[in-house]
Each structure stands twice: as C-alpha cells, then as structure tokens.
Amino acid sequence: MSNDKFIALSLPNMAGNEWKYVKDCLDTGWISSVGSYVTKFEQMVADFAGAKYGIAAVNGTAALHISLLLSGVKQHDYVILPNLTFVASANSIKYLGAEPLLIDADPLLWQMDLDLLEDFLSTQTETKGKELFYKKDGRRIGAIMPVHILGNMCDMDRFSQIVSQYPLPVVEDATEALGTTYKGKSAGTFSPLAAFSFNGNKIISTGGGGVIVTDDEALAKHAKHLTTTAKASADEYYHDEVGYNYRLVNVLAAIGVAQMELLPSFIERKKQVVAFYKQELSGVADIRFQQELADVNTNGWLFTIQTEKQQALLDHLNANKILSRRFWMPMNKLPMYKDCVYIQHQDQSDYIYNTCLSIPSSTNITDEELAIVTREIKAAIG
Ligand SMILES: *Cc1c(COP(=O)(O)O)cnc(C)c1O
C-alpha cells in the first residue's frame, strides 16, 4: 500500500443529483434568492431533524446570529457557551454586541461541563423577575448556547433540567450535529431555535450554507423576514426593521436538496469509519476516544482521538500526506475573547486542545485509505 495522494480530513461528497439540480437552476434562470429548491431544502432539513420549520441562511454563523437575535439577546448581555468550540459560536454572540461567557469542557465528552454550569448558575447568578443576571457585575445573561461538539451531545435531560430552573433561553449550535440524536430526539430540537451548517467540511455541504430550525410559526416567519432584508411589501421596497441579506441562494439550495437525499448513506458511512477506527486503534499506545453517552447516537462527523503524543503523531501523519488537525484553539486563547469570563476546572479545554487530533473522516474515504491512516498512526506512536 503506497500513499501518493493526500488523504483529506472531511471532504464534500457530491455523489448524487447535485449536478442535475444545479443545471436545472441554470437552465431555468432560477439561480438567486427565490426558487423552489430553497423551500424544498428548508423543508427537507426540518423534516429530517423532526422540526416543523426550516429557514435557510447563507451559512451556519448567520443562522446562529439570527437565532440569538430572535431569542432576545441584546447588547451588553452575556451568552453562555463552551470555551472549546469553533470561533463562529462566539462571533455570532459578538455580532449582537453581547459578550461570550465561557464554560470549560467535560474531560470525557468534550462538551460543555454540566457540573460547572450547574454550579455557576446556582452560585454566581441571580434571578430578578423574568431575567437572569451575573452577580459580579450585574449584567444580564441573555441566553445559553450548547454546542454539539463533533456531532456528540451532552446529557440533554440533565442540561434541560438545570437550565429550566432559570429564565434562560437556549439556542443550540447544532451546526455539526445533523443526524445526531439523544433518546431518539434530534439535535436542533432541544431549543426553540437552533442552527445547522452546510459548510464544506460538514456532514452534508452546500459549499456554504445554514438552516435555522424551529417549531414555532411566528419565530419561523420572523426568521425568514430577518434573513431577507425585512422586506414587508411584495411590490415596494418597504422594510419594517433592520434586516439582513442572509438568504441562501437557489443554486446552493439545489446542491443541498441532492445532499439531503444522500444524508442517510453518509451517516451510515460515518458510522463504519468510526467503527473501523475504534476497532483498529483501541489499545494502541495511550489513544483514547471521545466518550458517548448511551442515550446519544452521534452522526460520527469528525473522528478525533486523544493522545499525549499529539505533536509527534501530527508531524508523522502530515509528513505522510494524511491530513490531521488539532481542535480549534479554545476561545479564551483568542485575542478578542481572552478577557471573557471563563468558568473552568483545571482548564480541560486546554488539555483537550493539546492532546486531541482529528483524523480523516470523509464519507468518500476508501477502506484502503482508512487502513493507511491506522497503519501510519501505529507506525508513529504504536
Ligand atoms: C461550522 C460551525 C459553525 C459555523 O458554520 P458556518 O456555516 O461555517 O458559518 C458554527 N459553530 C460550529 C461549532 C461549527 O463547527
């Protein structure tokens, strides 16, 4: 087995009707922000997640921004989120003039640590009327954003039980978790509004894209209104609030429709990839895996291993044309978020950042490539 071609981390897989549907858009001229594929894609994502409504957006970040806005987050509020996440989660908070309030990661699940969250809410916040405040500076806490890191989930029953004791709207960052369930209930349906992403490396891709899901008709209408410049008249340029040009175009939604048709097969392939890696890498050196709760069925989005020999493994894999990546740098290490309130227990986020590596998990990875990846991991640290 020689390896002359680069093995990527998570590539888009355009194996279905993408070309046909895009051609249809081009042939009919329906390429822009109106067209049947947008509506169809929105409904397919909502149906798949078990939500009533889907609202397409240009990307997952925009979907999060609008979800937070509609949840009532205001300037100078705090929004609670995990310290270990992709920067877009925190950025979407900042776009509203609000401030991220960071919670450390659970050492086993790598999601927001619920012990820390529970302790923080009970000792450092106070409820006045229907609002929650951070005791230390009296600022309001406008929302909490759990992020389903790597398509995994925390104990959502416990999360909901903790949060339900406070006036604290939830907005799920479900961008990585399309297809993941907790007790059979889909990621994205544990909050009134949630965001999915269809960026190039997500489980399905439209190149760039996102969808907001909700069961609430009024919120769905308002989300659509805000993502389409808040135009309030069909025949005049009358806009009744500050809207956003966040609408996904029909050409990309056409790709999305084709990708949604493939999603069940993608999830199946991801599960095979996860099973292969777990079998081949169990007991190799000090390698550990992200733990999953029995109630969670993950979409297996991006397989990630943990080892003290992170740097040696990273160097070896990249030298052998196998793309491997560290986690995102934790938010408290980024210049714009370094002064944020950070509730931590021995900075697990930092430990995870320094020990974890994501390894190739594309749905179109071949069995031969999988064997090359595990062979080289064993060669490097086994
Ligand atoms: C991908 C991602 C986003 C943002 O999605 P885009 O479509 O790239 O804007 C937000 N949060 C997390 C955790 C993500 O992985």
Side-chain angles (χ1 to χ4, degrees):
M1 282 192 295
S2 75
N3 178 27
D4 8 271
K5 122 170 179 247
F6 221 90
I7 304 179
L9 207 57
S10 183
L11 285 178
N13 186 352
M14 302 285 136
N17 290 316
E18 291 80 5
W19 185 253
K20 186 174 147 202
Y21 297 162
V22 167
K23 184 172 186 304
D24 183 40
C25 294
L26 300 181
D27 288 346
T28 58
W30 289 102
I31 58 165
S32 191
S33 52
V34 183
S36 61
Y37 287 107
V38 174
T39 316
K40 197 163 180 197
F41 182 52
E42 291 175 329
Q43 200 52 52
M44 284 176 98
V45 174
D47 286 349
F48 190 88
K52 277 209 189 113
Y53 306 98
I55 302 91
V58 281
N59 54 50
T61 313
L64 283 172
H65 179 192
I66 296 300
S67 298
L68 287 170
L69 175 62
L70 288 175
S71 301
V73 172
K74 296 191 174 56
Q75 201 174 5
H76 305 309
D77 280 354
Y78 284 114
V79 174
I80 300 171
L81 81 163
N83 184 40
L84 187 70
T85 184
F86 178 58
V87 70
S89 316
N91 286 345
S92 68
I93 293 164
K94 260 313 216 206
Y95 296 165
L96 289 163
E99 222 24 69
L101 193 155
L102 306 165
I103 307 272
D104 202 359
D106 173 312
L108 300 176
L109 303 174
W110 311 345
Q111 314 293 305
M112 186 190 293
D113 186 316
L114 297 185
D115 291 333
L116 283 178
L117 175 68
E118 185 169 38
D119 182 66
F120 170 76
L121 287 172
S122 67
T123 62
Q124 300 198 49
T125 70
E126 58 187 339
T127 302
K128 287 191 223 152
K130 290 197 167 118
E131 295 180 307
L132 186 69
F133 297 87
Y134 182 39
K135 276 188 197 164
K136 208 169 269 177
D137 59 15
R139 275 165 78 167
R140 200 175 84 111
I141 304 175
I144 183 167
M145 180 192 283
V147 184
H148 306 309
I149 307 288
L150 297 174
N152 195 355
M153 285 172 108
C154 66
D155 179 341
M156 290 306 288
D157 278 350
R158 182 164 174 228
F159 174 84
S160 302
Q161 185 269 328
I162 294 170
V163 167
S164 67
Q165 300 170 46
Y166 303 91
L168 189 58
V170 181
V171 174
E172 286 170 86
D173 179 340
T175 47
E176 302 177 358
L178 184 64
T180 297
T181 59
Y182 174 86
K183 294 189 174 171
K185 188 172 151 66
S186 283
T189 61
F190 290 84
S191 55
L193 292 152
F196 291 112
S197 164
F198 310 108
N199 170 41
N201 69 7
K202 296 300 202 288
I203 191 158
I204 65 158
S205 180
T206 56
V211 163
I212 300 166
V213 288
T214 183
D215 281 342
D216 184 310
E217 189 183 359
L219 285 175
K221 282 194 173 143
H222 201 177
K224 189 164 286 187
H225 191 59
L226 283 174
T227 52
T228 52
T229 68
K231 191 158 178 282
S233 159
D235 39 42
E236 267 201 287
Y237 288 106
Y238 174 66
H239 308 259
D240 59 359
E241 61 184 312
V242 177
Y244 298 82
N245 183 14
Y246 275 178
R247 194 89 166 121
L248 186 72
V249 294
N250 203 44
V251 182
L252 297 183
I255 297 177
V257 168
Q259 289 275 285
M260 282 305 293
E261 292 169 354
L262 296 170
L263 180 56
S265 68
F266 286 176
I267 293 173
E268 201 171 310
R269 181 59 180 157
K270 292 276 190 192
K271 284 186 191 303
Q272 289 170 356
V273 170
V274 169
F276 179 85
Y277 279 143
K278 282 192 170 166
Q279 183 181 324
E280 286 296 313
L281 297 175
S282 295
V284 174
D286 65 338
I287 289 177
R288 282 161 288 158
F289 307 123
Q290 183 187 31
Q291 300 292 300
E292 281 161 29
L293 299 172
D295 288 326
V296 174
N297 191 355
T298 81
N299 66 359
W301 171 53
L302 186 62
F303 198 74
T304 301
I305 57 178
Q306 190 166 33
T307 168
E308 301 286 334
K309 300 169 184 169
Q310 185 205 51
Q311 191 62 51
L313 182 56
L314 183 64
D315 292 343
H316 179 89
L317 291 179
N318 289 344
N320 283 276
K321 295 196 246 175
I322 296 165
L323 198 70
S324 172
R325 281 255 178 86
R326 261 191 268 273
F327 248 112
W328 321 283
M329 198 173 284
M331 294 304 100
N332 73 314
K333 297 217 182 320
L334 305 180
M336 58 290 191
Y337 299 125
K338 68 176 173 28
D339 297 324
C340 288
V341 177
Y342 175 32
I343 308 300
Q344 53 147 322
H345 177 67
Q346 297 175 344
D347 201 2
Q348 293 296 325
S349 314
D350 184 59
Y351 180 70
I352 293 167
Y353 169 70
N354 282 306
T355 50
C356 285
L357 280 184
S358 299
I359 58 177
S361 308
S362 306
T363 50
N364 47 14
I365 194 167
T366 65
D367 290 348
E368 194 196 1
E369 287 171 328
L370 283 175
I372 292 170
V373 174
T374 52
R375 181 192 71 195
E376 292 306 327
I377 290 173
K378 290 171 191 169
I381 61 171

